[in-house]
């Protein structure tokens, strides 16, 4: 069906609301998937939930010659938890499964909360966290939490696997470290040490179904005195072309005593490393102020969680 859009009084533009032709494959195993990727590395795109991919294809931003549906690959679905090793989430696991998983709520409650903020219930039942991450959007809900957790990605291809810290995964806007023929296989969130917590904070224009203006994930680990910062991570979203860590702020916050001055300093330093733009959702200046406030709140919540409050 052709839909005609009118811009002003004289400008007309026709949009053809259909998908361009492509080949469709649906492997049942990792062996079949890897064989397809080896053969069609430069022309194939993986379909997990399709909530991002199909929109980009319809809008002609992407024009893959082949789409590989991984929905039937059981080896890419599931969540396992180990008190020593941490939490492993396979790439085909739906966001709704992560949201409601008892293991995720126990080992990574901030990730469960962030997953619950992604789109609508219908979207979460289709979408995967791997798609959310591989899409490369700077405002992706799960990315700041994964940065805060220090998540490690398992990236696979025919003949081998490699591990990559998630902080090295995004190279530029919607550009990742995946090489031709590779795919994201799993996320591993290391077990949290004693006296540590992760929290997530965000702000959108409305309460639901909205891309975040700013989001942030923080990791706080205390010394045995429960007052001194041993380790800290700050994962920032929607304030740059990619999700990224505020590494300068992290270095300066280590060793500080946790009090109101620490929370204020954390917000100030995070905002200083933010490089947002003006767009339809917010001005750059407002985003910087939001980053300061949200970082302060997230660290306060993490401190309260560690103290059992």
């Amino acid at each position: 069906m052709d839909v005609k859009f009118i811009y002003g009084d004289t400008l007309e533009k026709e949009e053809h609301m259909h998908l361009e032709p492509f080949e469709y494959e649906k492997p049942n195993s990792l062996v079949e998937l890897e064989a397809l990727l080896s053969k069609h590395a430069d022309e194939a795109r993986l379909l997990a939930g399709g909530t991002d991919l199909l929109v980009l294809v319809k809008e002609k931003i992407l024009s893959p010659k082949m789409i590989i549906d991984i929905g039937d690959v059981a080896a890419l679905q599931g969540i396992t938890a180990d008190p020593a090793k941490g939490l492993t989430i396979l790439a085909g696991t739906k966001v709704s499964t992560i949201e409601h998983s008892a293991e995720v709520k126990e080992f990574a409650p901030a990730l469960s909360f962030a997953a619950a903020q992604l789109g609508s219930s219908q979207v979460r039942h289709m979408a995967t966290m791997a798609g959310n991450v591989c899409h490369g959007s700077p405002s992706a809900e799960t990315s700041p939490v994964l940065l805060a957790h220090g998540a490690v990605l398992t990236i696979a291809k025919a003949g081998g696997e490699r591990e990559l810290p998630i902080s090295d995964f995004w190279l530029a806007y919607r550009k990742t470290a995946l090489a031709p023929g590779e795919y994201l296989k799993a996320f591993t969130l290391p077990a949290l040490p004693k006296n540590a917590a992760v929290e997530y904070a965000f702000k959108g224009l409305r309460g639901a179904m909205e891309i975040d203006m700013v989001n942030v994930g923080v990791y706080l680990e205390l010394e045995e005195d429960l007052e001194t910062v041993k380790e800290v991570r700050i994962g920032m979203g929607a304030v740059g072309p990619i999700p990224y860590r505020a590494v300068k702020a992290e270095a300066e916050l280590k060793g500080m005593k946790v009090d109101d001055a620490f929370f204020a300093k954390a917000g100030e330093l995070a905002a200083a490393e933010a490089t947002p733009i003006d767009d339809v959702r917010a001005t750059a200046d407002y985003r910087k102020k939001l980053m300061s406030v949200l970082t302060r709140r997230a660290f306060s919540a993490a401190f309260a969680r560690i103290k059992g409050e």
Side-chain angles (χ1 to χ4, degrees), residues 26-289:
K26 195 171 188 180
N28 293 305
S29 68
L30 293 180
V31 172
E32 292 179 7
L33 168 61
E34 290 169 1
L36 285 167
L37 285 174
S38 294
K39 185 176 180 180
H40 304 281
D42 294 323
E43 56 191 22
R45 289 279 180 165
L46 295 186
L47 173 69
T51 56
D52 283 326
L53 176 64
L54 293 182
V55 172
L56 296 177
V57 173
K58 286 180 179 180
E59 292 180 350
K60 310 299 188 290
I61 295 173
L62 294 177
S63 299
K65 294 182 180 179
M66 174 179 287
I67 287 182
I68 302 173
D69 186 342
I70 63 171
D72 284 350
V73 182
L76 288 178
Q77 299 175 24
I79 299 171
T80 57
D82 184 301
K85 296 180 180 179
L87 192 68
T88 298
I89 302 174
L90 297 177
T93 306
K94 300 299 184 183
V95 171
S96 60
T97 301
I98 296 170
E99 174 189 357
H100 297 292
S101 163
E103 292 87 354
V104 175
K105 289 180 178 180
E106 178 181 356
F107 286 86
L111 180 60
S112 173
F113 175 67
Q117 312 312 313
L118 193 156
S120 64
S121 177
Q122 294 92 329
V123 168
R124 293 193 295 275
H125 276 78
M126 290 293 294
T128 65
M129 186 164 69
N132 194 232
V133 168
C134 290
H135 182 57
S137 170
S139 59
E141 291 84 354
T142 59
S143 297
V145 180
L146 294 170
L147 284 167
H149 268 283
V152 176
L153 309 182
T154 300
I155 295 172
K157 65 177 181 179
E161 296 181 353
R162 64 185 175 105
E163 291 188 341
L164 184 72
I166 194 167
S167 55
D168 296 333
F169 184 67
W170 300 286
L171 305 179
Y173 179 66
R174 291 188 178 178
K175 180 177 175 59
T176 73
L178 288 175
E182 289 187 326
Y183 64 97
L184 176 54
K185 185 177 181 180
F187 302 85
T188 299
L189 281 62
L192 290 178
K194 185 176 68 171
N195 303 335
V198 172
E199 290 291 343
Y200 173 73
F202 71 99
K203 178 65 176 177
L205 285 174
R206 57 184 183 177
M209 290 292 291
E210 179 60 82
I211 296 174
D212 292 343
M213 289 188 285
V214 171
N215 51 33
V216 62
V218 305
Y219 169 88
L220 178 64
E221 182 182 354
L222 302 180
E223 300 283 4
E224 290 297 327
D225 62 7
L226 295 183
E227 293 181 355
T228 307
V229 176
K230 182 177 182 180
E231 185 64 64
V232 63
R233 288 190 288 270
I234 304 172
M236 306 197 296
V239 290
I242 61 173
Y244 63 100
R245 281 174 53 184
V247 292
K248 293 179 182 178
E250 293 170 1
E252 192 164 339
L253 292 170
K254 288 181 185 179
M256 289 186 65
K257 292 288 185 181
V258 179
D259 53 20
D260 288 344
F262 166 80
F263 298 137
K265 189 67 172 178
E268 173 190 328
L269 292 173
E273 283 192 66
T275 58
I277 60 172
D278 295 328
D279 65 13
V280 295
R281 294 183 182 86
T283 64
D285 183 63
Y286 184 57
R287 280 192 164 99
K288 276 183 168 285
K289 291 176 180 176

